[in-house]
Amino acid sequence: MSDTSDTTSRPIRVRMAPSPTGPLHIGTARTSLYNYLFARHVGGTYVLRIEDTDTARSTAEFERDIIDNLHWLGISWDEGPQVAGGEDIGPYRPYRQSQRMDRYAREAERLVASGHAYHCWCTPEELEAVRAEQAERKEAPRYNGRCLRLTDAEREAFAREGREPVVRLKVPPETIRFDDLIRGEVEFDNALLGDFVIVRANGVPLYHFVVVVDDEAMEITHVIRGEDHLSNTPKHIALIRALGYAEPRFAHIPLILNPDRSKMSKRKSQTAITAYREQGYLPETMVNFLAFLGWSPGTEEEIFTLDQLAERFDVAAVHKGGAVFDSDRLDYLNGVYIRALTDEQLALRLRPFLPDALDDATVLRVVPLVKERLVRLNDVGELVAFLVETDAEVEGLYAAGDLLPKKRDAAETAGAVTAARDALQSLADADFSADVLEARCRQAAEEMGWKAGDFFRPLRLAVTGRSVSPPLFGSMELLGRERVLARLDAALGKLTAERVTSA
RNA sequence: GCCCCCAUCGUCUAGAGGCCUAGGACGCCACCCUUUCAAGGUGGAGAUCACCGGUUCGAAUCCGGUUGGGGGCACCA
C-alpha cells in the first residue's frame, strides 16, 4: 500500500448511500445501522448520501420513505439531507448525486485525458453479440476492448454519425488485493474484469464511478456495505488507482436471506421497513433484531438499546455467513419490547392503530388488558373491536350454538346468562368494576353448580362477540353497564329462539 | 460458464486448540398457572460442529481438498 492509501491517520468518516429507487429496504436499514453503530462506537462522522443517478427509477417519494424510516429507527447522521427534500447539512454539500454531476464529468474527463479511460461507440446490439459469443465459449462476459484500438479516423467517423460514446475505464490486468475488515485478505484478478462503463452515452455517470468519486470527495475512510458488493470492490479499487485517490478500508457485511437462503427479496419476503412499521413493530425491536442478524456481542445477552449496541459494536466481529430473516423471532422480540413499555408509553404508541372513536382515557384503560396479548401494535384492533362495534354487530358475530359450553344445552345456558344478568343488573354504574363483576359472576356460577370457565364462556361471547378476547371482566368494565346488559339480553334472545326452533 | 465469499440444533447465535459428554434464544412438544387467548414458570426433543484428509499429546476451533449454499459478472444501484 502506498502512502496515499493510508487512511488510518484521517478522521473516521463513514456513509450510507441509499438509492431512492424503492422504499427503505431491510438490508439497507441494517447496513445503515451497522455504519451508524460503527461511527458512534469510534466517534466518527456519519454521512447520508442519496444515490439518485438513476433518474428513471429514483423518486422524491422513495427518498422521503428512506429518510423518514431511518429517523424512525432512531438512526441519525451528521451530514446530508436531514429531511426529505430539505436542505443539505455539512461541508461536502450537496449530498445528492444528481446535484454533483459537474464533479463526475470533470473526473471522467480527467481519466480520458490521462489515458485511464476511453470512449466507446459500440452499440448495445454489438455488445450483446460479443457477450453471446463469450457465453458460447464459456468465458466470463466482458468487453472485448474493440474501441480501445480504434484509429483517429474511425473515431471521427463515429462522431460524425452523431453516435454518442460511453466512457470506459481501461482496467489494468493486475491482481487486486485488499484487507477486508470482516473477511480478511481478499484477492481478485482484474484481468478477468474487462473495461467497464463509467459514463453512459447520455452523459450520466454510473454507480461504480460516482461511488468512488464521492467517497473520495467526502473523505470517507471506511466503506461498510453488503456482501453483494464484494465482487465489485476490485472495480472500485481500479477506479481509485486510476484517479489517484486514497483507498478506504472495506468491510463487507453478510447478506440477509430469505427462508430459502437466497438474498432477501421483495418477491419472497417483506422487505420494506415501512411495512413493518405499519404493522406495529417497534423501532427498538427492529434495531435490536437487525443488529443481531450478522453480529452478536459475544455473550448471551440479547436485549439491547441502540445506545448499548453502539457501545458494544465491533465491525471485526461481524459474521461472514448470511443470516435468514426469522419473523418468528422478530415477533417474539416485539412482544418483549411491548411488554417492557409503561402503560402510558404503550397507550401513546397504540393511538395510531386505534379508531378515533376511542378517547385517550379509554385507550389508557385498554392497555393493561391487551399489553401481554400483543405481538404487533396492529393486533390491538381486533382485541378491542368489541368496544367500537354496535350491539347488533357483536350479536351478528356468533350463533346461538356457539354460546353453549360443552355438555350444556340452550336452556341451561340461558339460565346461566340470566343468572349473570341478574347479578349484574342491580350494580350501580360506579360498582361496575372488574373485581366486583368477577366476584358476582363467580358467586352466581357457584350457586348454580357451574364451573367458572363454562359459566364465563357464553358471557364472553355475548359481550365481545368472540370466544377469544381480553380478560372478560375488564372488558365488561370498559364496555359499561348499559351495553353489557344489552348484549347479555341479545344473547338470551338468541338462546330463546334456539329453544323454540329446536323444540 | 467464469470469479469471489461462506459453512455450529429448523432459525438467530456462543465458541478464537484442552473450560464442549457443544451453551443461550426463537420455534416445537409436555406439564404447571389460568375465565378464553396470551404472558409467565418448569421440563423435553433437537447439532456425530457439511464431508474427507492432515497438523497436534489434544480440533467445532489451524491447514488442504471435496461437497453444498450464496453473491457478482449491465449504458441498475
PDB file of all heavy atoms in Angstrom, chain A residues 54 57 138 183 294 372-373 442 460 469, chain B residues 1 5 12-13 25 35-38 76:
ATOM      1  N   ASP A  54     -29.731   7.213 -11.067  1.00  0.00           N
ATOM      2  CA  ASP A  54     -30.680   6.522 -11.944  1.00  0.00           C
ATOM      3  C   ASP A  54     -31.980   7.321 -11.920  1.00  0.00           C
ATOM      4  O   ASP A  54     -32.915   7.005 -11.186  1.00  0.00           O
ATOM      5  CB  ASP A  54     -30.912   5.094 -11.442  1.00  0.00           C
ATOM      6  CG  ASP A  54     -31.792   4.291 -12.382  1.00  0.00           C
ATOM      7  OD1 ASP A  54     -32.352   4.891 -13.325  1.00  0.00           O
ATOM      8  OD2 ASP A  54     -31.923   3.074 -12.184  1.00  0.00           O
ATOM      9  N   ARG A  57     -35.539   5.748 -12.251  1.00  0.00           N
ATOM     10  CA  ARG A  57     -36.166   4.982 -11.176  1.00  0.00           C
ATOM     11  C   ARG A  57     -36.201   5.708  -9.828  1.00  0.00           C
ATOM     12  O   ARG A  57     -36.871   5.263  -8.906  1.00  0.00           O
ATOM     13  CB  ARG A  57     -35.435   3.643 -11.008  1.00  0.00           C
ATOM     14  CG  ARG A  57     -35.577   2.710 -12.228  1.00  0.00           C
ATOM     15  CD  ARG A  57     -35.189   1.293 -11.879  1.00  0.00           C
ATOM     16  NE  ARG A  57     -33.802   1.178 -11.482  1.00  0.00           N
ATOM     17  CZ  ARG A  57     -33.356   0.342 -10.537  1.00  0.00           C
ATOM     18  NH1 ARG A  57     -34.203  -0.437  -9.898  1.00  0.00           N
ATOM     19  NH2 ARG A  57     -32.072   0.275 -10.249  1.00  0.00           N
ATOM     20  N   LYS A 138     -17.980 -20.247 -23.160  1.00  0.00           N
ATOM     21  CA  LYS A 138     -17.922 -20.408 -21.709  1.00  0.00           C
ATOM     22  C   LYS A 138     -16.874 -19.520 -21.062  1.00  0.00           C
ATOM     23  O   LYS A 138     -16.147 -19.927 -20.160  1.00  0.00           O
ATOM     24  CB  LYS A 138     -17.671 -21.876 -21.336  1.00  0.00           C
ATOM     25  CG  LYS A 138     -18.757 -22.786 -21.895  1.00  0.00           C
ATOM     26  CD  LYS A 138     -18.694 -24.169 -21.351  1.00  0.00           C
ATOM     27  CE  LYS A 138     -19.940 -24.942 -21.779  1.00  0.00           C
ATOM     28  NZ  LYS A 138     -19.928 -26.327 -21.381  1.00  0.00           N
ATOM     29  N   ARG A 183     -13.641  -9.918   6.370  1.00  0.00           N
ATOM     30  CA  ARG A 183     -13.206 -11.156   5.720  1.00  0.00           C
ATOM     31  C   ARG A 183     -11.701 -11.371   5.647  1.00  0.00           C
ATOM     32  O   ARG A 183     -11.229 -12.424   5.225  1.00  0.00           O
ATOM     33  CB  ARG A 183     -13.776 -11.204   4.301  1.00  0.00           C
ATOM     34  CG  ARG A 183     -15.222 -11.630   4.315  1.00  0.00           C
ATOM     35  CD  ARG A 183     -16.006 -10.928   3.229  1.00  0.00           C
ATOM     36  NE  ARG A 183     -17.327 -10.614   3.724  1.00  0.00           N
ATOM     37  CZ  ARG A 183     -18.298 -11.510   3.852  1.00  0.00           C
ATOM     38  NH1 ARG A 183     -18.111 -12.744   3.509  1.00  0.00           N
ATOM     39  NH2 ARG A 183     -19.458 -11.161   4.340  1.00  0.00           N
ATOM     40  N   GLY A 294     -26.225 -11.110  12.009  1.00  0.00           N
ATOM     41  CA  GLY A 294     -24.869 -10.983  11.492  1.00  0.00           C
ATOM     42  C   GLY A 294     -23.863 -10.464  12.504  1.00  0.00           C
ATOM     43  O   GLY A 294     -22.701 -10.249  12.170  1.00  0.00           O
ATOM     44  N   GLU A 372     -50.077  -7.801  27.248  1.00  0.00           N
ATOM     45  CA  GLU A 372     -49.334  -9.045  27.063  1.00  0.00           C
ATOM     46  C   GLU A 372     -49.949  -9.958  26.006  1.00  0.00           C
ATOM     47  O   GLU A 372     -49.560 -11.110  25.862  1.00  0.00           O
ATOM     48  CB  GLU A 372     -49.172  -9.766  28.385  1.00  0.00           C
ATOM     49  CG  GLU A 372     -50.450 -10.083  29.102  1.00  0.00           C
ATOM     50  CD  GLU A 372     -50.170 -10.475  30.542  1.00  0.00           C
ATOM     51  OE1 GLU A 372     -49.159  -9.981  31.091  1.00  0.00           O
ATOM     52  OE2 GLU A 372     -50.938 -11.264  31.088  1.00  0.00           O
ATOM     53  N   ARG A 373     -50.899  -9.408  25.273  1.00  0.00           N
ATOM     54  CA  ARG A 373     -51.502 -10.183  24.190  1.00  0.00           C
ATOM     55  C   ARG A 373     -51.083  -9.666  22.826  1.00  0.00           C
ATOM     56  O   ARG A 373     -51.514 -10.177  21.797  1.00  0.00           O
ATOM     57  CB  ARG A 373     -53.027 -10.096  24.299  1.00  0.00           C
ATOM     58  CG  ARG A 373     -53.616 -11.179  25.141  1.00  0.00           C
ATOM     59  CD  ARG A 373     -55.000 -10.806  25.647  1.00  0.00           C
ATOM     60  NE  ARG A 373     -54.875 -10.296  26.992  1.00  0.00           N
ATOM     61  CZ  ARG A 373     -55.009 -11.051  28.080  1.00  0.00           C
ATOM     62  NH1 ARG A 373     -55.341 -12.312  27.969  1.00  0.00           N
ATOM     63  NH2 ARG A 373     -54.839 -10.536  29.261  1.00  0.00           N
ATOM     64  N   ARG A 442     -68.703 -15.187  39.712  1.00  0.00           N
ATOM     65  CA  ARG A 442     -68.220 -16.436  40.306  1.00  0.00           C
ATOM     66  C   ARG A 442     -69.230 -16.977  41.318  1.00  0.00           C
ATOM     67  O   ARG A 442     -69.469 -18.187  41.389  1.00  0.00           O
ATOM     68  CB  ARG A 442     -66.864 -16.208  40.982  1.00  0.00           C
ATOM     69  CG  ARG A 442     -65.718 -16.166  39.994  1.00  0.00           C
ATOM     70  CD  ARG A 442     -64.372 -16.166  40.692  1.00  0.00           C
ATOM     71  NE  ARG A 442     -63.298 -15.946  39.734  1.00  0.00           N
ATOM     72  CZ  ARG A 442     -62.809 -16.891  38.931  1.00  0.00           C
ATOM     73  NH1 ARG A 442     -63.298 -18.129  38.981  1.00  0.00           N
ATOM     74  NH2 ARG A 442     -61.863 -16.620  38.075  1.00  0.00           N
ATOM     75  N   ARG A 460     -68.619 -14.212  27.660  1.00  0.00           N
ATOM     76  CA  ARG A 460     -67.552 -13.657  26.818  1.00  0.00           C
ATOM     77  C   ARG A 460     -68.032 -13.460  25.391  1.00  0.00           C
ATOM     78  O   ARG A 460     -67.825 -12.408  24.783  1.00  0.00           O
ATOM     79  CB  ARG A 460     -66.353 -14.612  26.823  1.00  0.00           C
ATOM     80  CG  ARG A 460     -65.161 -14.130  25.983  1.00  0.00           C
ATOM     81  CD  ARG A 460     -64.068 -15.187  25.907  1.00  0.00           C
ATOM     82  NE  ARG A 460     -63.701 -15.686  27.223  1.00  0.00           N
ATOM     83  CZ  ARG A 460     -62.933 -15.033  28.078  1.00  0.00           C
ATOM     84  NH1 ARG A 460     -62.433 -13.858  27.743  1.00  0.00           N
ATOM     85  NH2 ARG A 460     -62.654 -15.534  29.263  1.00  0.00           N
ATOM     86  N   SER A 469     -60.793 -13.273  23.702  1.00  0.00           N
ATOM     87  CA  SER A 469     -60.938 -11.839  23.978  1.00  0.00           C
ATOM     88  C   SER A 469     -60.005 -11.455  25.104  1.00  0.00           C
ATOM     89  O   SER A 469     -59.411 -12.306  25.749  1.00  0.00           O
ATOM     90  CB  SER A 469     -62.372 -11.544  24.390  1.00  0.00           C
ATOM     91  OG  SER A 469     -62.560 -11.883  25.760  1.00  0.00           O
TER      92      SER A 469
ATOM     93  P     G B   1     -21.614 -24.583 -14.732  1.00  0.00           P
ATOM     94  OP1   G B   1     -20.935 -25.849 -14.582  1.00  0.00           O
ATOM     95  OP2   G B   1     -22.035 -23.834 -13.551  1.00  0.00           O
ATOM     96  O5'   G B   1     -20.705 -23.596 -15.617  1.00  0.00           O
ATOM     97  C5'   G B   1     -20.054 -24.079 -16.790  1.00  0.00           C
ATOM     98  C4'   G B   1     -19.365 -22.910 -17.435  1.00  0.00           C
ATOM     99  O4'   G B   1     -20.363 -21.925 -17.830  1.00  0.00           O
ATOM    100  C3'   G B   1     -18.428 -22.147 -16.515  1.00  0.00           C
ATOM    101  O3'   G B   1     -17.146 -22.737 -16.530  1.00  0.00           O
ATOM    102  C2'   G B   1     -18.425 -20.749 -17.128  1.00  0.00           C
ATOM    103  O2'   G B   1     -17.574 -20.667 -18.246  1.00  0.00           O
ATOM    104  C1'   G B   1     -19.882 -20.613 -17.589  1.00  0.00           C
ATOM    105  N9    G B   1     -20.776 -19.973 -16.624  1.00  0.00           N
ATOM    106  C8    G B   1     -21.811 -20.581 -15.961  1.00  0.00           C
ATOM    107  N7    G B   1     -22.464 -19.756 -15.176  1.00  0.00           N
ATOM    108  C5    G B   1     -21.805 -18.535 -15.347  1.00  0.00           C
ATOM    109  C6    G B   1     -22.072 -17.271 -14.753  1.00  0.00           C
ATOM    110  O6    G B   1     -22.960 -16.967 -13.952  1.00  0.00           O
ATOM    111  N1    G B   1     -21.179 -16.303 -15.178  1.00  0.00           N
ATOM    112  C2    G B   1     -20.160 -16.527 -16.063  1.00  0.00           C
ATOM    113  N2    G B   1     -19.391 -15.468 -16.359  1.00  0.00           N
ATOM    114  N3    G B   1     -19.898 -17.701 -16.642  1.00  0.00           N
ATOM    115  C4    G B   1     -20.760 -18.652 -16.231  1.00  0.00           C
ATOM    116  P     C B   5     -12.182 -15.360  -1.832  1.00  0.00           P
ATOM    117  OP1   C B   5     -11.101 -14.815  -0.995  1.00  0.00           O
ATOM    118  OP2   C B   5     -12.088 -16.739  -2.366  1.00  0.00           O
ATOM    119  O5'   C B   5     -13.556 -15.273  -1.024  1.00  0.00           O
ATOM    120  C5'   C B   5     -13.940 -14.062  -0.394  1.00  0.00           C
ATOM    121  C4'   C B   5     -15.342 -14.191   0.147  1.00  0.00           C
ATOM    122  O4'   C B   5     -16.258 -14.479  -0.932  1.00  0.00           O
ATOM    123  C3'   C B   5     -15.560 -15.340   1.116  1.00  0.00           C
ATOM    124  O3'   C B   5     -15.138 -15.004   2.419  1.00  0.00           O
ATOM    125  C2'   C B   5     -17.073 -15.494   1.041  1.00  0.00           C
ATOM    126  O2'   C B   5     -17.735 -14.473   1.744  1.00  0.00           O
ATOM    127  C1'   C B   5     -17.312 -15.296  -0.452  1.00  0.00           C
ATOM    128  N1    C B   5     -17.321 -16.570  -1.206  1.00  0.00           N
ATOM    129  C2    C B   5     -18.475 -17.365  -1.147  1.00  0.00           C
ATOM    130  O2    C B   5     -19.425 -16.985  -0.448  1.00  0.00           O
ATOM    131  N3    C B   5     -18.512 -18.522  -1.850  1.00  0.00           N
ATOM    132  C4    C B   5     -17.464 -18.893  -2.582  1.00  0.00           C
ATOM    133  N4    C B   5     -17.559 -20.036  -3.267  1.00  0.00           N
ATOM    134  C5    C B   5     -16.270 -18.102  -2.642  1.00  0.00           C
ATOM    135  C6    C B   5     -16.240 -16.964  -1.951  1.00  0.00           C
ATOM    136  P     C B  12     -29.955 -18.666  10.399  1.00  0.00           P
ATOM    137  OP1   C B  12     -29.520 -17.877   9.232  1.00  0.00           O
ATOM    138  OP2   C B  12     -29.211 -19.877  10.787  1.00  0.00           O
ATOM    139  O5'   C B  12     -30.020 -17.696  11.662  1.00  0.00           O
ATOM    140  C5'   C B  12     -30.699 -16.436  11.580  1.00  0.00           C
ATOM    141  C4'   C B  12     -30.576 -15.716  12.894  1.00  0.00           C
ATOM    142  O4'   C B  12     -31.290 -16.446  13.919  1.00  0.00           O
ATOM    143  C3'   C B  12     -29.150 -15.647  13.430  1.00  0.00           C
ATOM    144  O3'   C B  12     -28.441 -14.587  12.821  1.00  0.00           O
ATOM    145  C2'   C B  12     -29.398 -15.425  14.921  1.00  0.00           C
ATOM    146  O2'   C B  12     -29.760 -14.090  15.200  1.00  0.00           O
ATOM    147  C1'   C B  12     -30.597 -16.344  15.161  1.00  0.00           C
ATOM    148  N1    C B  12     -30.186 -17.687  15.588  1.00  0.00           N
ATOM    149  C2    C B  12     -29.927 -17.903  16.958  1.00  0.00           C
ATOM    150  O2    C B  12     -30.055 -16.961  17.741  1.00  0.00           O
ATOM    151  N3    C B  12     -29.544 -19.141  17.365  1.00  0.00           N
ATOM    152  C4    C B  12     -29.415 -20.132  16.473  1.00  0.00           C
ATOM    153  N4    C B  12     -29.037 -21.334  16.926  1.00  0.00           N
ATOM    154  C5    C B  12     -29.668 -19.936  15.080  1.00  0.00           C
ATOM    155  C6    C B  12     -30.040 -18.713  14.684  1.00  0.00           C
ATOM    156  P     U B  13     -26.850 -14.680  12.749  1.00  0.00           P
ATOM    157  OP1   U B  13     -26.400 -13.389  12.221  1.00  0.00           O
ATOM    158  OP2   U B  13     -26.467 -15.939  12.077  1.00  0.00           O
ATOM    159  O5'   U B  13     -26.465 -14.742  14.292  1.00  0.00           O
ATOM    160  C5'   U B  13     -25.359 -15.441  14.749  1.00  0.00           C
ATOM    161  C4'   U B  13     -25.509 -15.628  16.240  1.00  0.00           C
ATOM    162  O4'   U B  13     -26.573 -16.579  16.497  1.00  0.00           O
ATOM    163  C3'   U B  13     -24.310 -16.234  16.928  1.00  0.00           C
ATOM    164  O3'   U B  13     -23.364 -15.219  17.218  1.00  0.00           O
ATOM    165  C2'   U B  13     -24.941 -16.786  18.192  1.00  0.00           C
ATOM    166  O2'   U B  13     -25.217 -15.768  19.130  1.00  0.00           O
ATOM    167  C1'   U B  13     -26.261 -17.341  17.647  1.00  0.00           C
ATOM    168  N1    U B  13     -26.171 -18.756  17.267  1.00  0.00           N
ATOM    169  C2    U B  13     -26.017 -19.663  18.300  1.00  0.00           C
ATOM    170  O2    U B  13     -25.979 -19.334  19.470  1.00  0.00           O
ATOM    171  N3    U B  13     -25.932 -20.974  17.902  1.00  0.00           N
ATOM    172  C4    U B  13     -25.950 -21.449  16.613  1.00  0.00           C
ATOM    173  O4    U B  13     -25.843 -22.667  16.418  1.00  0.00           O
ATOM    174  C5    U B  13     -26.114 -20.440  15.595  1.00  0.00           C
ATOM    175  C6    U B  13     -26.213 -19.158  15.950  1.00  0.00           C
ATOM    176  P     A B  25     -32.541 -20.145  27.140  1.00  0.00           P
ATOM    177  OP1   A B  25     -33.360 -19.708  28.294  1.00  0.00           O
ATOM    178  OP2   A B  25     -32.578 -21.549  26.670  1.00  0.00           O
ATOM    179  O5'   A B  25     -32.887 -19.221  25.888  1.00  0.00           O
ATOM    180  C5'   A B  25     -32.927 -17.803  26.040  1.00  0.00           C
ATOM    181  C4'   A B  25     -33.174 -17.182  24.690  1.00  0.00           C
ATOM    182  O4'   A B  25     -32.056 -17.479  23.809  1.00  0.00           O
ATOM    183  C3'   A B  25     -34.382 -17.736  23.943  1.00  0.00           C
ATOM    184  O3'   A B  25     -35.591 -17.142  24.369  1.00  0.00           O
ATOM    185  C2'   A B  25     -34.035 -17.348  22.504  1.00  0.00           C
ATOM    186  O2'   A B  25     -34.253 -15.965  22.278  1.00  0.00           O
ATOM    187  C1'   A B  25     -32.531 -17.632  22.477  1.00  0.00           C
ATOM    188  N9    A B  25     -32.275 -19.001  22.030  1.00  0.00           N
ATOM    189  C8    A B  25     -31.961 -20.109  22.775  1.00  0.00           C
ATOM    190  N7    A B  25     -31.810 -21.205  22.062  1.00  0.00           N
ATOM    191  C5    A B  25     -32.037 -20.796  20.766  1.00  0.00           C
ATOM    192  C6    A B  25     -32.041 -21.484  19.534  1.00  0.00           C
ATOM    193  N6    A B  25     -31.778 -22.780  19.409  1.00  0.00           N
ATOM    194  N1    A B  25     -32.314 -20.774  18.416  1.00  0.00           N
ATOM    195  C2    A B  25     -32.570 -19.461  18.534  1.00  0.00           C
ATOM    196  N3    A B  25     -32.606 -18.699  19.637  1.00  0.00           N
ATOM    197  C4    A B  25     -32.328 -19.437  20.724  1.00  0.00           C
ATOM    198  P     U B  35     -59.465 -19.048  36.679  1.00  0.00           P
ATOM    199  OP1   U B  35     -60.186 -18.028  37.434  1.00  0.00           O
ATOM    200  OP2   U B  35     -59.422 -20.472  37.088  1.00  0.00           O
ATOM    201  O5'   U B  35     -59.991 -19.009  35.188  1.00  0.00           O
ATOM    202  C5'   U B  35     -61.149 -19.772  34.821  1.00  0.00           C
ATOM    203  C4'   U B  35     -61.716 -19.197  33.561  1.00  0.00           C
ATOM    204  O4'   U B  35     -62.344 -17.937  33.874  1.00  0.00           O
ATOM    205  C3'   U B  35     -60.680 -18.841  32.513  1.00  0.00           C
ATOM    206  O3'   U B  35     -60.418 -19.981  31.723  1.00  0.00           O
ATOM    207  C2'   U B  35     -61.379 -17.747  31.721  1.00  0.00           C
ATOM    208  O2'   U B  35     -62.254 -18.257  30.737  1.00  0.00           O
ATOM    209  C1'   U B  35     -62.231 -17.053  32.789  1.00  0.00           C
ATOM    210  N1    U B  35     -61.679 -15.778  33.278  1.00  0.00           N
ATOM    211  C2    U B  35     -61.790 -14.667  32.453  1.00  0.00           C
ATOM    212  O2    U B  35     -62.276 -14.726  31.335  1.00  0.00           O
ATOM    213  N3    U B  35     -61.302 -13.503  32.972  1.00  0.00           N
ATOM    214  C4    U B  35     -60.743 -13.336  34.221  1.00  0.00           C
ATOM    215  O4    U B  35     -60.362 -12.215  34.554  1.00  0.00           O
ATOM    216  C5    U B  35     -60.657 -14.521  35.009  1.00  0.00           C
ATOM    217  C6    U B  35     -61.125 -15.682  34.525  1.00  0.00           C
ATOM    218  P     U B  36     -59.083 -20.157  30.946  1.00  0.00           P
ATOM    219  OP1   U B  36     -58.745 -21.589  30.913  1.00  0.00           O
ATOM    220  OP2   U B  36     -58.129 -19.166  31.482  1.00  0.00           O
ATOM    221  O5'   U B  36     -59.478 -19.703  29.470  1.00  0.00           O
ATOM    222  C5'   U B  36     -60.417 -20.474  28.714  1.00  0.00           C
ATOM    223  C4'   U B  36     -60.571 -19.810  27.364  1.00  0.00           C
ATOM    224  O4'   U B  36     -61.174 -18.505  27.553  1.00  0.00           O
ATOM    225  C3'   U B  36     -59.272 -19.525  26.655  1.00  0.00           C
ATOM    226  O3'   U B  36     -58.833 -20.651  25.916  1.00  0.00           O
ATOM    227  C2'   U B  36     -59.656 -18.381  25.738  1.00  0.00           C
ATOM    228  O2'   U B  36     -60.339 -18.831  24.601  1.00  0.00           O
ATOM    229  C1'   U B  36     -60.644 -17.601  26.622  1.00  0.00           C
ATOM    230  N1    U B  36     -60.016 -16.485  27.345  1.00  0.00           N
ATOM    231  C2    U B  36     -59.750 -15.336  26.630  1.00  0.00           C
ATOM    232  O2    U B  36     -59.978 -15.245  25.441  1.00  0.00           O
ATOM    233  N3    U B  36     -59.212 -14.315  27.350  1.00  0.00           N
ATOM    234  C4    U B  36     -58.904 -14.315  28.697  1.00  0.00           C
ATOM    235  O4    U B  36     -58.422 -13.299  29.204  1.00  0.00           O
ATOM    236  C5    U B  36     -59.197 -15.545  29.369  1.00  0.00           C
ATOM    237  C6    U B  36     -59.729 -16.566  28.686  1.00  0.00           C
ATOM    238  P     C B  37     -57.271 -21.026  25.880  1.00  0.00           P
ATOM    239  OP1   C B  37     -57.145 -22.248  25.067  1.00  0.00           O
ATOM    240  OP2   C B  37     -56.724 -20.967  27.253  1.00  0.00           O
ATOM    241  O5'   C B  37     -56.656 -19.805  25.060  1.00  0.00           O
ATOM    242  C5'   C B  37     -57.072 -19.542  23.725  1.00  0.00           C
ATOM    243  C4'   C B  37     -56.524 -18.213  23.306  1.00  0.00           C
ATOM    244  O4'   C B  37     -57.134 -17.162  24.088  1.00  0.00           O
ATOM    245  C3'   C B  37     -55.036 -18.024  23.578  1.00  0.00           C
ATOM    246  O3'   C B  37     -54.267 -18.626  22.555  1.00  0.00           O
ATOM    247  C2'   C B  37     -54.917 -16.508  23.583  1.00  0.00           C
ATOM    248  O2'   C B  37     -54.935 -15.977  22.277  1.00  0.00           O
ATOM    249  C1'   C B  37     -56.212 -16.111  24.298  1.00  0.00           C
ATOM    250  N1    C B  37     -56.016 -15.931  25.753  1.00  0.00           N
ATOM    251  C2    C B  37     -55.650 -14.655  26.209  1.00  0.00           C
ATOM    252  O2    C B  37     -55.513 -13.746  25.380  1.00  0.00           O
ATOM    253  N3    C B  37     -55.463 -14.458  27.532  1.00  0.00           N
ATOM    254  C4    C B  37     -55.622 -15.473  28.387  1.00  0.00           C
ATOM    255  N4    C B  37     -55.431 -15.230  29.686  1.00  0.00           N
ATOM    256  C5    C B  37     -55.985 -16.777  27.946  1.00  0.00           C
ATOM    257  C6    C B  37     -56.182 -16.967  26.631  1.00  0.00           C
ATOM    258  P     A B  38     -52.739 -18.988  22.794  1.00  0.00           P
ATOM    259  OP1   A B  38     -52.251 -19.624  21.574  1.00  0.00           O
ATOM    260  OP2   A B  38     -52.573 -19.683  24.105  1.00  0.00           O
ATOM    261  O5'   A B  38     -52.096 -17.540  22.891  1.00  0.00           O
ATOM    262  C5'   A B  38     -50.989 -17.307  23.713  1.00  0.00           C
ATOM    263  C4'   A B  38     -50.928 -15.832  24.001  1.00  0.00           C
ATOM    264  O4'   A B  38     -52.135 -15.430  24.711  1.00  0.00           O
ATOM    265  C3'   A B  38     -49.788 -15.441  24.919  1.00  0.00           C
ATOM    266  O3'   A B  38     -48.617 -15.216  24.154  1.00  0.00           O
ATOM    267  C2'   A B  38     -50.321 -14.177  25.554  1.00  0.00           C
ATOM    268  O2'   A B  38     -50.227 -13.073  24.681  1.00  0.00           O
ATOM    269  C1'   A B  38     -51.790 -14.553  25.765  1.00  0.00           C
ATOM    270  N9    A B  38     -52.022 -15.254  27.021  1.00  0.00           N
ATOM    271  C8    A B  38     -52.345 -16.579  27.216  1.00  0.00           C
ATOM    272  N7    A B  38     -52.473 -16.916  28.476  1.00  0.00           N
ATOM    273  C5    A B  38     -52.215 -15.749  29.160  1.00  0.00           C
ATOM    274  C6    A B  38     -52.192 -15.434  30.529  1.00  0.00           C
ATOM    275  N6    A B  38     -52.437 -16.321  31.488  1.00  0.00           N
ATOM    276  N1    A B  38     -51.886 -14.162  30.876  1.00  0.00           N
ATOM    277  C2    A B  38     -51.643 -13.271  29.911  1.00  0.00           C
ATOM    278  N3    A B  38     -51.631 -13.438  28.583  1.00  0.00           N
ATOM    279  C4    A B  38     -51.935 -14.708  28.275  1.00  0.00           C
ATOM    280  P     C B  76     -27.510   1.845 -17.351  1.00  0.00           P
ATOM    281  OP1   C B  76     -28.416   2.270 -18.396  1.00  0.00           O
ATOM    282  OP2   C B  76     -26.706   2.832 -16.604  1.00  0.00           O
ATOM    283  O5'   C B  76     -28.358   1.026 -16.274  1.00  0.00           O
ATOM    284  C5'   C B  76     -27.702   0.577 -15.109  1.00  0.00           C
ATOM    285  C4'   C B  76     -28.686   0.658 -13.978  1.00  0.00           C
ATOM    286  O4'   C B  76     -29.145  -0.667 -13.678  1.00  0.00           O
ATOM    287  C3'   C B  76     -28.088   1.164 -12.670  1.00  0.00           C
ATOM    288  O3'   C B  76     -28.078   2.577 -12.641  1.00  0.00           O
ATOM    289  C2'   C B  76     -29.062   0.567 -11.672  1.00  0.00           C
ATOM    290  O2'   C B  76     -30.247   1.314 -11.636  1.00  0.00           O
ATOM    291  C1'   C B  76     -29.334  -0.809 -12.296  1.00  0.00           C
ATOM    292  N1    C B  76     -28.428  -1.854 -11.788  1.00  0.00           N
ATOM    293  C2    C B  76     -28.859  -2.616 -10.684  1.00  0.00           C
ATOM    294  O2    C B  76     -29.971  -2.380 -10.219  1.00  0.00           O
ATOM    295  N3    C B  76     -28.053  -3.580 -10.183  1.00  0.00           N
ATOM    296  C4    C B  76     -26.860  -3.779 -10.725  1.00  0.00           C
ATOM    297  N4    C B  76     -26.110  -4.733 -10.190  1.00  0.00           N
ATOM    298  C5    C B  76     -26.392  -3.024 -11.845  1.00  0.00           C
ATOM    299  C6    C B  76     -27.202  -2.069 -12.337  1.00  0.00           C
TER     300        C B  76
END
